[in-house]
Structure formats: structure tokens, C-alpha cells
Amino acid sequence: MSKIEEVKAKVEIGKTKLIPGLVQEALDEGSSAADILQAMVDSMSVVGEKFSSGEIFVPEMLIAAKAMAKGVDVLRPLLAGDTSASLGTCIIGTVAGDLHDIGKNLVSMMIESAGFTMVDLGVDVPAERFVEAAKENENVTLIACSGLLTTTMPALKEAVQTIKASGLDVKVIVGGAPVTPEYAAEIGADGFAPDAGSAAVKAKELVA
Ligand code: B1M
């Protein structure tokens, strides 16, 4: 088994302590950071499928997520790129009721690498908190809201509508597995992106 396959297999079963070393060995073996990241994203899809079929439960999902986060820590310096440009501050968070943060953290890392200063509000962020944070911080040009559950899509809508109603001069980008471009447009977001890489491209476009 190649090291990258081993990373994928061990993330799936949540072998947190082994992951940083294995990720480093996969890099040493010549795998790119992007390919290793993709392998870990694929692991999470397998984990999601196993959860759906009742083969595993929430604790197993959680340890797999922790393992992936450890792997991302090793890749971060390689994925982050040039952060010298200044496109203002971006407030980012996962919306109220939603505790998923791996995707949001990847999106944050990529938007930062596009030239934004990031303020990460974490998970389970109430709509008003996005507005408060935009007022508390200097030169906020963008707010990024992530939602992973179909049940928290209404919270995404509330966040966008609260930000828009505040009169702040900021763009709002939304995303997350259940979010479609149509839904993003319907709730009044300025932008949508399906993944972290395209979120960075869209973020730049929105504030240009
Ligand atoms: Co949960 N979970 N989970 N979970 N979980 C999903 C999302 C699920 C699809 C699993 C499944 O059933 N197959 C399902 C949702 C079903 C649905 O809503 N339709 C689900 C469920 C049901 C739940 C609970 C309700 C389970 C329960 O308690 N019975 C519960 C809810 C808790 C809550 O949030 N209130 C729950 C809990 C958890 C854990 C806490 C255990 C853990 C999260 C830990 C953590 O994040 N720190 C967890 C995990 C790990 C998952 C899966 C397995 C993996 C998620 C992940 O990290 N993916 C997930 C199954 C899956 O995704 N296939 C699942 C990898 C990550 C890189 O992808 O987050 O999609 P993703 O991010 C992508 C894009 O979506 C996009 O870019 C990212 C990178 O490319 N993106 C954006 C994300 N945000 C963006 C923002 C943007 C733009 C793009 O602009 C701002």
C-alpha cells in the first residue's frame, strides 16, 4: 500500500496519532499536498457513507474528522501559498446549529491565501454574530458562511438576510455540501462556491 493510500485508510478509522507522520511520509514519497488532501476528503466521503448505512456512529465520524484535521495541519504551509496581497478582512464561520468545520477551515485557508486577513468565528455562529464581527474588525470586505446540514440551510438564509439587512457594505459568499448555486442566489448571497479552491477564486472576484 502506498503512503497516500495508508493516509486515506487511517483517516477513515481515525488513527489521529499516526496521521501527521504518514502525511509527511506521503509527501516524502512524492505525493502532492493537493492529492493527499483529496485522499483525506475521499476518506470523509467513505465515513459519511458508512454513517448513512448505520455501519458507524457519531463518535467514529468525530475521530475521523480529528484525524483529518491533524493531516491538514501538516499540509497547511504547502497549501496556503502567498498571503502578501491585501483584499481586506474576511469574517468566516459555520452557521447556527452546525458543528462541521473541516470544510470551513479549508475554505478559510484558501481565502487567506488569496490575500484576505481571516477572522474565524468557529462553528454554530448566530446570524447577528457575523454582523457584530464585521463591525468590530477593520476593513471587512467579505463574509463567508458555511453550512453542511440540510437542516441548517435555513440558518444560512438567516445569516445572509441579517447581514444584508444590517446595511454593511460587504459581500457574502456561501457554500457547503447541501448548498447549490440556485439556493445561494435565492437567499440573496453575492457568491457561491462548491469547494475551497473555487471559494478563493470567487472571494477575489467579489471584492475586485
Ligand atoms: Co456530520 N453529517 N453530522 N459530523 N458529517 C454529514 C454532513 C452527513 C452528510 C453524513 C451522512 O449522513 N452521510 C450528514 C448530513 C446529512 C444532511 O444534512 N443531508 C451528517 C449528519 C446527519 C450529522 C449529525 C446530524 C449526526 C447526528 O448527530 N445524528 C450531526 C450534526 C451535528 C451538528 O452539526 N449539529 C453530525 C456530526 C458530525 C461530527 C461532529 C461527528 C463530525 C464533524 C466534525 C468536524 O467538522 N469537526 C461529522 C462529520 C465528520 C461528517 C462527514 C462524515 C464529513 C464532513 C467533512 O468534514 N467532509 C459528513 C459526510 C460527508 O461530508 N460526506 C457528515 C470533508 C470536507 C472537506 O468537506 O465539509 O463538504 P465539506 O467541505 C467542502 C465543501 O462542502 C465546500 O468546500 C469544502 C472543501 O472543499 N464548502 C464551502 C464548505 N463550506 C464552504 C463555504 C463556502 C464555500 C464552499 O463559502 C463560504
Side-chain angles (χ1 to χ4, degrees):
M1 198 190 273
S2 68
K3 288 296 167 194
I4 195 166
E5 284 163 349
E6 226 178 304
V7 169
K8 185 171 181 291
K10 294 290 192 267
V11 166
E12 268 173 49
I13 54 171
K15 290 286 179 196
T16 309
K17 285 189 185 152
L18 295 181
I19 297 303
L22 282 173
V23 168
Q24 189 55 55
E25 286 171 35
L27 287 167
D28 296 344
E29 209 179 66
S31 296
S32 71
D35 286 346
I36 299 169
L37 180 63
Q38 188 56 51
M40 293 195 289
V41 170
D42 293 346
S43 308
M44 298 314 286
S45 301
V46 174
V47 168
E49 283 157 21
K50 286 185 176 169
F51 175 76
S52 295
S53 66
E55 203 178 317
I56 62 165
F57 300 94
V58 170
E60 286 92 339
M61 270 208 293
L62 191 56
I63 54 168
K66 284 190 175 154
M68 174 160 177
K70 288 284 176 199
V72 171
D73 283 348
V74 178
L75 297 179
R76 183 169 287 115
L78 300 167
L79 293 167
D82 173 24
T83 56
S84 57
S86 181
L87 296 174
T89 297
C90 171
I91 308 287
I92 190 165
T94 302
V95 294
D98 201 323
L99 302 176
H100 296 84
D101 69 355
I102 296 180
K104 183 263 296 167
N105 293 344
L106 290 176
V107 169
S108 178
M109 194 165 79
M110 296 309 287
I111 293 182
E112 181 173 26
S113 75
F116 289 81
T117 300
M118 302 305 293
V119 175
D120 190 340
L121 302 178
V123 296
D124 192 15
V125 179
E128 305 72 32
R129 183 68 198 115
F130 286 104
V131 173
E132 281 166 19
K135 289 179 179 164
E136 285 162 13
N137 287 279
E138 300 267 306
N139 192 23
V140 175
T141 51
L142 183 69
I143 300 183
C145 306
S146 175
L148 255 287
L149 296 168
T150 43
T151 50
T152 54
M153 287 172 78
L156 208 48
K157 177 177 179 181
E158 196 190 339
V160 174
Q161 294 188 341
T162 304
I163 296 161
K164 290 293 171 190
S166 73
L168 285 165
D169 182 20
V170 293
K171 300 289 184 190
V172 186
I173 179 171
V174 296
V179 184
T180 61
E182 292 75 25
Y183 185 73
E186 185 191 316
I187 65 175
D190 300 297
F192 159 81
D195 56 49
S198 48
V201 174
K202 181 52 91 176
K204 259 182 165 173
E205 238 176 71
L206 286 174
V207 306

